[in-house]
Amino acid sequence: MTDANRHKRELRLRRHFRVRKKVSGTAQRPRLAVFRSNRHISAQIIDDLAGKTLVSASTQEKDLKGPTSATVEGAMSLGQVLAERAKERGISSVVFDRSGFRYHGRVAAVADGARQGGLSL
């Protein structure tokens, strides 16, 4: 990892920890955490009090993998799949955690897809 990449990662993690001081998921309203890489995007719904991941989805999964997995359309479908899985578990409302990424593009598309799927953010 080059120095520039290491610096960008450290800055993102600083933003992430700064937000995480305030944002926490409970059993009634768990946290929807998003991670974005260059090739894939993944999201989890987490109950921080119990320390458990309740629902997860990733573009690396067989049914979500495809030519559009790293695009805004792929992120939108990921959010919809995550919302469907959350509904099956009885989750209707979540707190959105962008993990230090800018709320733009694929990260915003995951949130929009989750809203279209029926989750309240």
Side-chain angles (χ1 to χ4, degrees):
M1 188 181 293
T2 64
D3 285 340
N5 289 340
R6 185 175 295 115
H7 183 66
K8 284 171 76 171
R9 178 174 156 69
E10 287 173 0
L11 291 176
R12 183 189 72 81
L13 289 175
R14 271 191 213 168
R15 286 189 301 269
H16 177 57
F17 291 130
R18 188 169 56 236
V19 171
R20 284 287 291 123
K21 284 191 285 188
K22 298 174 186 170
V23 175
S24 180
T26 63
Q28 292 80 26
R29 194 157 184 216
R31 175 172 57 100
L32 192 161
V34 175
F35 179 77
R36 176 183 60 82
S37 73
N38 287 338
R39 285 189 174 194
H40 296 285
I41 190 161
S42 63
Q44 300 177 352
I45 295 180
I46 304 164
D47 178 2
D48 288 316
L49 297 179
K52 297 203 180 228
T53 298
L54 306 173
V55 181
S56 68
S58 171
T59 56
Q60 291 178 318
E61 295 175 7
K62 200 171 199 176
D63 56 339
L64 291 173
K65 203 173 224 180
T68 61
S69 63
T71 61
V72 172
E73 293 85 21
M76 183 81 77
S77 64
L78 175 83
Q80 291 172 347
V81 167
L82 191 70
E84 291 171 15
R85 292 178 185 175
K87 288 282 192 181
E88 291 171 3
R89 298 285 307 259
I91 300 168
S92 60
S93 180
V94 295
V95 178
F96 190 73
D97 176 14
R98 61 188 175 89
S99 300
F101 296 105
R102 188 179 294 172
Y103 188 82
H104 178 268
R106 291 183 286 162
V107 174
V110 171
D112 292 339
R115 280 190 200 99
Q116 285 180 2
L119 279 181
S120 170
L121 298 177

